[in-house]
Amino acid sequence: MVYDNPWGTFLVEARDVLEKAFKLAYPELEVKIQLDKPPSREYGDLSCSACLSLAKKASTNPMEMAEVVLKHTSLKDSSFIEKIVVSKPGYLNIYLKRSLMVGEALKSALTLKDEWGYVKTDKPLRIVIEHTSVNPIHPITIGHARNTFLGDSLARILNARGHSVSKRFYVDDVGGQVALLAYAYKLAGDAILKLDAKPDHAIGRVYTTISALVEIRKLKNRAENLRKSGKYEEARRVEDELSDWIGILSEVEKKNSDVLQTLLNGMKFSDPEEEVREILKAYELGSEQAKQLIRPIVEKCIMGFKETLERVDVSFDFWDWESEIVWSSIVRRVLNRLMKSGCVKFENNVPEFEAGRIAEDPLVRRRLGIPDGFEISSLTLLRADGLTLYPTRDIAYSILKFQNADVVINVVGFDQTLPQIQVRLALYVLGYKEQAENQLHYSYGLVKFPGFKMSSRRGRYITLDHLLDESEARAYMEVSKISPHLSEDERRRIAKSVGVSAVKYSLISVEPSKDVVFDWDRVLDFKRNSAPFIMYSYARAHGITSKIGVESVEEFDPAFLTQPLEEELGLNIAMFPQVFVEASENLSPHTLAMYCNSLATIFNSFYDSHPVIKAEKNVREARLALVEAFKITMRNALKLIGITPVERM
RNA sequence: GGGUCCGUGGCCUAGCUAGGAUAAGGCACCUGCCUCCGGAGCAGGUGAUCCCGGGUUCAAAUCCCGGCGGACCCGCCA
């Protein structure tokens, strides 16, 4: 028989048996059966502590209660339960028919192959995942990379679960940052791109340069004025900031001196801040001239993104341009309807959405998943000059994302918690109540660099490309050391795969809510608990199957797998579908990363102590089946976190 | 000032949603293991007031309250 989730079947059987037994023994009690993993195998494979908490209600003691429940159990409808035993303070310990489980799991894995473990949901949904959405003014950095890998992994997981997933990238081409970049482009033209092979890297550098130039100019004036009016203390603070920016500029100058001159010359003839404002306004109003200035430079930056994303095997179904949303009438419609909702007040002649007022209703909070004490401030919807603001456009975008979706998952950093809540509240007020409930903020802690705060304006960041380069170089060294017999080409190919995987794994394997302090040594540590370690176990397994030939897996008798490590490996393979189900329900890629690591660890132990090729025929066939099932399981599990194992490394 | 999140051996991390039996891994350190399917490995060892204090409970790393420390948010920036 082929099981799509053997361990899950065992869980259901155990729960059924105990539920029925409790009902027979204590019909008056409401019992919710929870099954745990016992601390060691001597206590069986599952344990139930219900008697410990219920004994008092049944006016008995836990031991006695467990004995009574045990007497009422019947195993006739279950195939995987070996026995149930009462132990110490009152546990019911369930023992699995281990070798049956191992045999069924191996057969199922070998039969289902690429589909093994991907248990389908009975409620398929249309799910939009918006992730990455890096502003097109600088390259993708290691800070964004966590977003990219988490989002991509979520998409892979939900897709494997049977949902219809679409991945969207929000191109934030409206706003001051892009306008500032466009201003530099206006002054220096295509020269800003010729500096570097990759357009996004060149653009990032120019963005820092123009930011510094404009900032320095502004701060100089301010400091002068402060000194003139005798505010020396304040002037000194401004001057400190000024010298900070001058430092940044001199850093950039080394690589950008010709462009810097052009920009400086251009700035003499105009007021930069005024020019930037003009560009911003013109673009939002849809002026052809502004489009011709902004679109090409943003497109170039996105080309750079796509190159990086291709490198890490991440793709998108839609690239949504923010400007398209502004130029369509959605934003205006949203504004008009919000105004009529009674939740907008005017402060200094500017409309503000009083998000906090709606959130006073505890019911609304519960529906939208807003913590009770969360303080929600108002949201300014328009600037005094009538131009839209980012959150306003984001509300409109949210509506757009729901056009063909039941659920929208926004992969957005923890620092955006408040605006994400404000958007949901706006949806609610606008009458999109269900959508407001089904818009999820998938939050994750920021990636920080020890020593300084990463800042894209200040050019203080590490690009994902750079990190990948380092990782690939490291991987290349390792491959060359261990497999010098492989061709140069193949070693390059392997290094690329291993290098990218190492970076992905290190960013995915940490629970999302935790901050990550970036550490070169840790990301490039290829020992245990890393992608290279996991991939290495796969390559070893492949070494065995390729030497024997996979065809011979057809016939095997799991009864020959009698060693504890064989059983352990088999059981862990059997658990994969259940691990997948839980990871997909909890949106938890890191659980899968941890699973891959422990599966690899167990395989390595097995590998070390139980030879396959040299074993006697029956044992060899059974072990070969185990190894092949391991490979299938590992491949399928790794795929969910965006990693493809290599056969040699 | 208010709020949100995080706080687990020297360092990094899992476990917390759904409270249960000796708190699980990695790095570092120490001891063994390559005539044996690939040593990016394996076997073992040293090392923990689970931030602190209360509370709930037969039972708390896990739930509640109050502190402390760190990060972040509270913009006519995005």
Side-chain angles (χ1 to χ4, degrees):
Chain A
M1 171 154 186
V2 170
Y3 292 87
D4 68 345
N5 186 359
W7 191 267
T9 306
F10 172 49
L11 283 172
V12 169
E13 285 181 0
R15 187 168 292 124
D16 279 356
V17 166
L18 290 182
E19 254 166 23
K20 279 179 190 147
F22 269 102
K23 203 161 275 174
L24 285 172
Y26 300 94
E28 72 283 0
L29 284 184
E30 270 292 319
V31 184
K32 220 179 122 198
I33 301 295
Q34 201 201 313
L35 296 165
D36 302 303
K37 188 182 185 302
S40 89
R41 59 189 307 163
E42 61 183 296
Y43 297 118
D45 299 281
L46 289 173
S47 78
C48 171
S49 59
C51 295
L52 276 73
S53 52
L54 290 170
K56 207 181 240 177
K57 278 185 201 155
S59 45
T60 175
N61 66 68
M63 257 335 240
E64 218 165 278
M65 187 179 197
E67 292 290 355
V68 173
V69 172
L70 180 62
K71 279 201 190 91
H72 286 83
T73 56
S74 157
L75 301 184
K76 70 177 196 322
D77 292 331
S78 74
S79 43
F80 284 116
I81 301 175
E82 168 80 39
K83 60 176 175 178
I84 302 177
V85 171
V86 171
S87 82
K88 272 198 284 179
Y91 289 101
L92 285 158
N93 288 331
I94 298 139
Y95 290 73
L96 166 71
K97 289 178 185 165
R98 291 178 167 223
S99 72
L100 175 73
M101 173 61 79
V102 170
E104 295 302 311
L106 296 191
K107 273 183 254 172
S108 302
L110 293 171
T111 307
L112 296 173
K113 292 196 176 72
D114 289 353
E115 276 302 307
W116 160 247
Y118 300 162
V119 184
K120 298 303 175 211
T121 176
D122 48 11
K123 274 180 272 169
L125 298 168
R126 298 167 304 165
I127 301 177
V128 160
I129 299 182
E130 186 216 318
H131 71 87
T132 305
S133 301
V134 177
N135 287 355
I137 48 167
H138 52 57
I140 299 175
T141 72
I142 57 171
H144 307 117
R146 192 175 191 200
N147 183 316
T148 301
F149 298 144
L150 282 172
D152 187 58
S153 179
L154 282 179
R156 289 167 186 271
I157 290 167
L158 293 171
N159 185 55
R161 187 80 170 112
H163 297 292
S164 157
V165 177
S166 94
K167 300 165 281 182
R168 311 190 79 124
F169 186 114
Y170 190 40
V171 181
D172 190 6
D173 63 328
V174 180
Q177 296 186 324
V178 166
L180 180 60
L181 172 67
Y183 171 63
Y185 186 50
K186 187 180 174 188
L187 295 181
D190 280 331
I192 66 173
L193 288 170
K194 283 170 190 157
L195 295 164
D196 202 293
K198 253 183 129 258
D200 51 336
H201 289 229
I203 284 169
R205 217 171 286 154
V206 169
Y207 180 71
T208 299
T209 310
I210 191 70
S211 294
L213 288 174
V214 171
E215 204 66 26
I216 286 166
R217 191 188 137 107
K218 195 170 76 189
L219 293 171
K220 253 185 193 159
N221 288 339
R222 191 183 301 165
E224 248 169 60
N225 289 337
L226 284 169
R227 283 210 176 273
K228 270 181 205 158
S229 46
K231 294 174 181 162
Y232 298 110
E233 193 64 28
E234 238 175 285
R236 207 173 358 255
R237 268 205 302 277
V238 172
E239 280 158 4
D240 281 349
E241 209 183 323
L242 181 62
S243 72
D244 192 28
W245 275 106
I246 289 170
I248 291 163
L249 190 61
S250 73
E251 260 314 295
V252 196
E253 194 192 352
K254 291 173 196 158
K255 291 177 176 171
N256 241 5
S257 56
D258 47 343
V259 172
L260 178 65
Q261 264 318 314
T262 316
L263 292 177
L264 265 175
N265 291 338
M267 281 171 68
K268 281 184 200 151
F269 306 107
S270 63
D271 173 3
E273 287 173 81
E274 184 53 37
E275 290 251 6
V276 172
R277 261 196 302 277
E278 282 304 316
I279 294 169
L280 179 63
K281 188 171 181 183
Y283 193 54
E284 179 155 341
L285 297 177
S287 118
E288 273 310 314
Q289 213 180 350
K291 281 186 200 178
Q292 278 166 26
L293 187 63
I294 288 179
R295 282 291 170 130
I297 196 73
V298 171
E299 298 268 14
K300 286 271 197 267
C301 195
I302 288 173
M303 271 172 54
F305 291 169
K306 285 184 177 169
E307 207 179 302
T308 307
L309 292 170
E310 198 175 327
R311 207 176 161 186
V312 295
D313 192 23
V314 171
S315 64
F316 287 88
D317 302 302
F318 296 98
W319 294 76
D320 300 318
W321 289 68
E322 187 174 22
S323 51
E324 303 287 348
I325 291 165
V326 175
W327 298 333
S328 78
S329 51
I330 312 176
V331 176
R332 289 290 147 190
R333 274 213 308 276
V334 164
L335 273 168
N336 289 338
R337 283 167 58 190
L338 273 178
M339 301 284 194
K340 285 184 205 141
S341 72
C343 299
V344 172
K345 64 171 180 192
F346 275 80
E347 193 100 348
N348 304 322
N349 261 335
V350 150
E352 282 198 6
F353 169 50
E354 296 177 285
R357 258 185 41 203
I358 310 112
E360 279 167 18
D361 183 348
L363 229 81
V364 174
R365 278 195 185 243
R366 208 156 315 135
R367 281 185 73 174
L368 303 191
I370 304 166
D372 282 341
F374 203 99
E375 185 193 280
I376 297 159
S377 51
S378 294
L379 184 68
T380 308
L381 295 167
L382 289 176
R383 304 174 15 148
D385 58 11
L387 295 185
T388 59
L389 285 159
Y390 180 82
T392 314
R393 304 191 288 265
D394 207 25
I395 295 165
Y397 182 40
S398 284
I399 293 168
L400 197 79
K401 282 185 281 191
F402 267 111
Q403 273 181 352
N404 286 303
D406 306 305
V407 171
V408 169
I409 299 174
N410 293 332
V411 183
V412 174
F414 162 73
D415 53 338
Q416 305 283 313
T417 307
L418 173 61
Q420 283 288 313
I421 285 174
Q422 288 168 327
V423 169
R424 265 179 280 153
L425 286 166
L427 287 178
Y428 191 87
V429 166
L430 290 169
Y432 298 99
K433 295 190 178 179
E434 245 174 77
Q435 287 86 338
E437 275 179 82
N438 292 328
Q439 171 154 355
L440 258 72
H441 175 199
Y442 192 83
S443 167
Y444 61 92
L446 304 182
V447 179
K448 277 172 285 191
F449 204 81
F452 63 85
K453 215 176 150 174
M454 283 200 270
S455 159
S456 46
R457 271 181 81 208
R458 289 160 203 262
R460 288 186 185 140
Y461 48 75
I462 295 169
T463 68
L464 176 55
D465 285 312
H466 179 48
L467 176 57
L468 292 169
D469 290 344
E470 293 290 330
S471 189
E472 286 178 22
R474 171 73 204 277
Y476 179 76
M477 267 170 51
E478 292 283 334
V479 189
S480 300
K481 198 169 74 196
I482 288 152
S483 305
H485 56 282
L486 297 176
S487 73
E488 168 75 12
D489 241 32
E490 184 158 18
R491 278 180 288 154
R492 290 266 171 227
R493 193 180 54 79
I494 291 164
K496 185 173 150 54
S497 173
V498 172
V500 169
S501 302
V503 171
K504 280 194 186 184
Y505 184 87
S506 72
L507 287 174
I508 288 181
S509 60
V510 178
E511 210 265 326
S513 71
K514 299 212 179 187
D515 289 343
V516 169
V517 177
F518 184 82
D519 182 343
W520 282 107
D521 291 339
R522 208 173 311 135
V523 177
L524 300 184
D525 184 357
F526 290 0
K527 294 183 187 165
R528 280 182 259 191
N529 198 12
S530 74
F533 167 78
I534 294 164
M535 295 168 87
Y536 186 67
S537 73
Y538 184 89
R540 285 170 135 188
H542 180 77
I544 295 170
T545 55
S546 70
K547 267 175 194 145
I548 296 185
V550 185
E551 305 78 55
S552 49
V553 175
E554 310 273 316
E555 290 292 317
F556 76 100
D557 183 352
F560 287 95
L561 299 172
T562 54
Q563 300 298 317
L565 279 173
E566 295 171 327
E567 201 173 74
E568 192 66 19
L569 180 56
L571 291 179
N572 272 272
I573 288 169
M575 286 175 196
F576 171 54
Q578 184 62 25
V579 171
F580 167 71
V581 169
E582 282 167 26
S584 68
E585 297 307 307
N586 297 329
L587 302 179
S588 171
H590 91 281
T591 311
L592 285 161
M594 311 292 302
Y595 171 78
C596 290
N597 186 60
S598 66
L599 189 63
T601 304
I602 294 161
F603 176 80
N604 280 339
S605 298
F606 158 79
Y607 179 91
D608 215 58
S609 47
H610 303 304
V612 177
I613 294 172
K614 275 188 275 176
E616 170 276 319
K617 183 172 178 290
N618 289 324
V619 177
R620 183 177 65 233
E621 280 171 353
R623 286 185 182 162
L624 184 64
L626 185 60
V627 172
E628 183 58 26
F630 161 77
K631 279 177 67 187
I632 291 168
T633 306
M634 187 59 99
R635 215 188 299 133
N636 291 359
L638 283 175
K639 193 176 171 192
L640 298 168
I641 53 173
I643 293 175
T644 308
V646 290
E647 298 184 334
R648 274 186 297 270
M649 60 188 279

